[in-house]
Amino acid sequence: MAALRFDLLTLFPSLFDGFLTESILSRAIEKALVEVNRWDIRDWAQGKHKQVDDRPFGGGPGMVLMAPPVVSAVEAVQALGERPGRLIVLTPQGRRLDQNLVQELAQESRIVLLCGRYEGFDERIFETLEPETLSIGDYILSGGEVAAMAVVDAVMRLLPGVLGDAESAVDESFGPDGGLEYPQYTRPRTYRGRDIPEILLSGNHAAIARWRREHRR
Ligand code: ADE
């Protein structure tokens, strides 16, 4: 059994196709380090038209995700497997994702991610399911799918065995603006007249470490 099971609930499961079949994540899935299941919310919709969204009461623009199919989908998926897992709705109104939260999520054994579309969710979805809410930043995406991919990507790369030694996450330190703290270089040694810092060729590991500390940003 995988160390961490993700369940993604969405109206557009195929948006995750490339994400799940390319690169590090697909290797992690193959190695059974992580399991990712996709679920189409529309499969829980009622009626001939399998309707999942409708106009907002009181008027206004856009469409709102209906409570019955969404709640039924989440409850059915959570009932599968041994534990319901941590239920998270992706929404720009949610708690902001940062590396601390990513580290916390990497300790979980099951995470259920609910992706919205359109103008939002019927409020009773939140009242009934009492999910956590999570945002990947102060901007509006057209749906939660891209945000869910960010969560899965950031979390899975912290799971033991997912990254090889070469790409290990251990040495990563996040500066005030995130990312690696020091400038990095690879071949060629000279590019458009710009040479790499000579010290990096010295083989003097203490000196290189000092240079990197001094060039933290
Ligand atoms: N859905 C739409 N925009 C979003 C955002 N910024 N974060 C998470 N989910 C979203």
Side-chain angles (χ1 to χ4, degrees):
M1 201 179 63
L4 173 55
R5 167 180 177 159
F6 283 103
D7 289 278
L8 312 173
L9 289 96
T10 170
L11 291 172
F12 301 94
S14 61
L15 280 179
F16 294 91
D17 282 352
F19 178 64
L20 293 174
T21 53
E22 305 292 330
S23 84
I24 295 174
L25 181 55
S26 66
R27 266 190 288 138
I29 293 169
E30 252 169 54
K31 288 198 266 177
L33 299 170
V34 58
E35 178 184 336
V36 184
N37 303 293
R38 284 178 286 180
W39 306 96
D40 189 343
I41 294 167
R42 202 173 293 277
D43 290 344
W44 282 270
Q46 300 289 310
K48 197 170 73 193
H49 298 292
K50 296 254 169 208
Q51 193 179 354
V52 290
D53 61 331
D54 208 342
R55 293 184 308 259
F57 280 119
M63 301 288 271
V64 177
L65 277 180
M66 298 162 74
V70 173
V71 171
S72 298
V74 170
E75 286 177 344
V77 167
Q78 286 200 287
L80 300 169
E82 289 142 44
R83 53 216 179 276
R86 194 158 160 171
L87 175 62
I88 298 175
V89 176
L90 287 317
T91 157
Q93 284 90 31
R95 170 182 174 188
R96 177 77 72 86
L97 182 68
D98 61 18
Q99 193 66 16
N100 283 331
L101 181 53
V102 169
Q103 264 159 15
E104 189 190 312
L105 293 175
Q107 308 301 313
E108 298 289 338
S109 58
R110 186 176 186 195
I111 298 172
V112 179
L113 297 174
L114 173 58
C115 305
R117 280 264 140 182
Y118 313 117
E119 270 43 55
F121 299 86
D122 187 306
E123 190 60 22
R124 291 164 298 180
I125 294 170
F126 295 107
E127 292 168 358
T128 308
L129 296 171
E130 298 186 333
E132 289 175 58
T133 58
L134 211 146
S135 162
I136 63 163
D138 287 338
Y139 42 82
I140 314 293
L141 301 164
S142 47
E145 286 78 8
V146 169
M149 287 185 225
V151 174
V152 173
D153 188 284
V155 170
M156 66 89 190
R157 60 192 294 289
L158 296 185
L159 301 176
V162 168
L163 298 186
D165 286 343
E167 42 197 2
S168 172
V170 178
D171 187 35
E172 278 174 42
S173 33
F174 281 81
D177 304 318
L180 283 168
E181 288 191 338
Y182 50 82
Q184 302 236 72
Y185 301 89
T186 186
R187 295 191 305 157
R189 278 163 66 158
T190 304
Y191 176 67
R192 296 200 176 180
R194 295 167 185 273
D195 293 329
I196 71 163
E198 203 63 37
I199 187 90
L200 301 178
L201 303 169
S202 67
N204 183 339
H205 297 296
I208 291 171
R210 195 175 335 112
W211 182 90
R212 286 177 167 168
R213 270 197 310 279
E214 286 166 3
H215 289 79
R216 261 204 285 241
R217 52 184 180 203

